[in-house]
């Protein structure tokens, strides 16, 4: 098994606000992130695909193909967008690093044509980031350990 | 969805690598420059990964401000700008190698009440790093 990782960057704004909580509670829980005007980050996304290299090409997955998938599924949706209002997949969710990484996993997982999506790592800043392993992948990893 | 929330912290501290179980000459041979009796220092980077359900009300595994307060109290305050050998009780007996620092930080952070500690990664310099995920699957559950 080989793990191939491709990195992209996108910039987007967001804000944290839960309409079920009072204004005061929102400020207490989310602090500066509750600013109603929003704020932004330079997100860094590292996508890891696991698989066996194709004997004919020596590749797990053509990086150009992966680059196009990331452009279409992630950059076109999220780059220079206000995540709360412009990304339907995040509607009704607070666009935390956890939730964005989960959305990116769900967008990418069915689109990977060779190998399988192993990990999505999303940096909101260099000091805060999330690794997502999906659900099926966790089962696969467990199955591997069980053998 | 299986998620790990990572947070990155920094502290600067001095240490000396010297084992009471070894003779003077052996210490010099094993630890080289790191055995200098006056000690020396590093800018350490600590990364810690936590898992747990994403709270639907907040969209978070753990609130970074709560986590930061906990890590500050447990690790950054006691370690930052300190001489680890003398000022952190655990390193009066254990040699404060980056390995032992990584394990000690893991033991301190696994008591975080809001999420489960998965892994600690320590960079002693930009050129070397260490990771520890506990000895047994149950270790991180202890709170």
């Amino acid at each position: 098994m080989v793990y191939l990782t491709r990195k992209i960057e996108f910039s987007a704004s967001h804000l944290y606000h839960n309409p079920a909580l009072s204004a005061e509670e929102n400020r207490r829980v989310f602090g500066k992130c509750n600013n109603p005007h929003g704020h932004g980050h330079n997100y860094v996304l590292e996508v890891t695909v696991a698989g066996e290299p194709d004997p004919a090409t020596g590749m797990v997955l053509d990086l150009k193909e992966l680059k196009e998938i990331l452009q279409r599924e992630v950059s076109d949706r999220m780059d220079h967008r206000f995540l709360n209002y412009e990304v339907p997949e995040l509607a009704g969710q607070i666009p935390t690093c956890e939730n964005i990484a989960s959305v990116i996993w769900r967008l990418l997982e069915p689109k990977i044509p060779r190998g399988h999506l192993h990990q999505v790592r999303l940096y909101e800043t260099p000091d805060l980031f999330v690794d997502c392993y999906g659900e099926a992948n966790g089962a696969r990893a467990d199955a591997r350990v069980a053998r | 969805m299986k998620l790990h929330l990572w947070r990155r912290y920094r502290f600067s501290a001095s240490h000396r690598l010297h084992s009471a179980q070894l003779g003077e000459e052996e210490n010099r041979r094993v630890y080289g420059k790191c055995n200098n009796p006056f000690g020396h220092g590093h800018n350490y980077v600590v990364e810690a990964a936590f898992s747990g359900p994403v709270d639907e009300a907040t969209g978070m595994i753990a609130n970074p401000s709560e986590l930061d307060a906990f890590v500050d109290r447990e690790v950054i305050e006691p370690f930052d700008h300190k001489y680890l050998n003398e000022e952190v009780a655990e390193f009066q007996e254990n040699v404060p190698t980056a390995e032992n620092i990584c394990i000690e930080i893991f033991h301190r952070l696994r008591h975080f009440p809001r999420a489960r500690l998965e892994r600690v990664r320590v960079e002693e310099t930009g050129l070397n790093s260490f990771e520890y995920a506990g000895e047994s699957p149950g270790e991180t559950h202890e709170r």
Side-chain angles (χ1 to χ4, degrees), chain B residues 95-116:
Chain B
V95 183
T97 55
E99 291 91 328
N100 281 336
I101 293 170
C102 192
I103 293 169
E104 177 56 26
I105 291 174
F106 184 93
H107 287 155
R108 288 170 179 238
L109 296 187
R110 70 182 165 165
H111 302 293
F112 183 59
R114 304 283 193 196
R116 173 184 156 152

Side-chain angles (χ1 to χ4, degrees), chain A residues 27-81:
Chain A
R27 277 194 296 277
R28 193 187 64 72
V29 173
F30 297 124
K32 286 195 286 190
C33 301
N34 186 234
N35 175 3
H37 299 290
H39 63 279
H41 298 285
N42 297 324
Y43 289 91
V44 176
L45 175 67
E46 292 175 357
V47 172
T48 302
V49 174
E52 298 296 340
D54 181 312
T57 65
M59 298 175 184
V60 172
L61 170 64
D62 188 336
L63 271 177
K64 182 167 170 287
E65 212 175 335
L66 182 56
K67 183 181 165 185
E68 286 165 0
I69 294 166
L70 295 178
Q71 177 68 40
R72 200 166 52 238
E73 300 300 328
V74 181
S75 302
D76 289 353
R77 269 190 178 81
M78 301 190 183
D79 189 33
H80 287 72
R81 299 288 180 183

Side-chain angles (χ1 to χ4, degrees), chain A residues 16 18 29-30 94 96 98-99 102 105-106 121 126-135, chain B residues 1-10 47 54 56-65:
Chain A
Y16 293 173
N18 182 344
V29 173
F30 297 124
I94 296 163
T96 55
E98 289 91 325
N99 281 338
S102 299
W105 177 280
R106 288 192 197 97
R121 171 172 282 194
D127 295 339
L128 181 79
F129 52 104
V130 163
D131 288 337
C132 181
Y133 298 98
E135 275 145 334
Chain B
M1 209 49 96
K2 187 182 167 199
L3 296 163
H4 289 176
L5 170 69
W6 287 88
R7 194 84 164 118
R8 186 176 172 98
Y9 303 92
R10 291 162 190 79
E47 293 180 346
V54 175
E56 278 194 26
T58 63
M60 297 170 178
I61 290 171
N63 193 317
S65 63

Side-chain angles (χ1 to χ4, degrees), chain B:
Chain B
M1 209 49 96
K2 187 182 167 199
L3 296 163
H4 289 176
L5 170 69
W6 287 88
R7 194 84 164 118
R8 186 176 172 98
Y9 303 92
R10 291 162 190 79
F11 69 87
S12 302
S14 59
H15 69 170
R16 179 197 185 200
L17 302 188
H18 182 91
S19 170
Q21 293 168 38
L22 304 175
E24 290 297 328
E25 195 179 328
E26 189 70 353
N27 266 296
R28 274 195 297 277
R29 195 186 64 74
V30 171
Y31 295 121
K33 285 194 289 190
C34 301
N35 187 237
N36 173 6
F38 295 104
H40 64 281
H42 299 287
N43 297 322
Y44 291 90
V45 172
V46 178
E47 293 180 346
F50 294 85
S51 68
V54 175
D55 183 337
E56 278 194 26
T58 63
M60 297 170 178
I61 290 171
N63 193 317
S65 63
E66 269 180 58
L67 183 57
D68 292 353
F70 177 81
V71 176
D72 275 348
R73 191 176 70 235
E74 296 296 324
V75 175
I76 307 303
E77 283 294 326
F79 287 23
D80 190 33
H81 286 72
K82 298 287 170 65
Y83 181 40
L84 299 175
N85 301 57
E86 298 286 340
E87 297 185 271
V88 175
E90 288 78 4
F91 298 128
Q92 289 176 3
E93 300 215 337
N94 295 326
V95 183
T97 55
E99 291 91 328
N100 281 336
I101 293 170
C102 192
I103 293 169
E104 177 56 26
I105 291 174
F106 184 93
H107 287 155
R108 288 170 179 238
L109 296 187
R110 70 182 165 165
H111 302 293
F112 183 59
R114 304 283 193 196
R116 173 184 156 152
L117 179 65
E118 292 285 345
R119 183 173 288 264
V120 168
R121 181 171 173 275
V122 170
E123 287 178 19
E124 189 173 71
T125 71
L127 302 178
N128 58 46
S129 67
F130 305 81
E131 292 195 32
Y132 185 67
E135 291 301 330
S136 63
E139 184 163 5
T140 57
H141 289 295
E142 193 182 297
R143 294 210 174 135

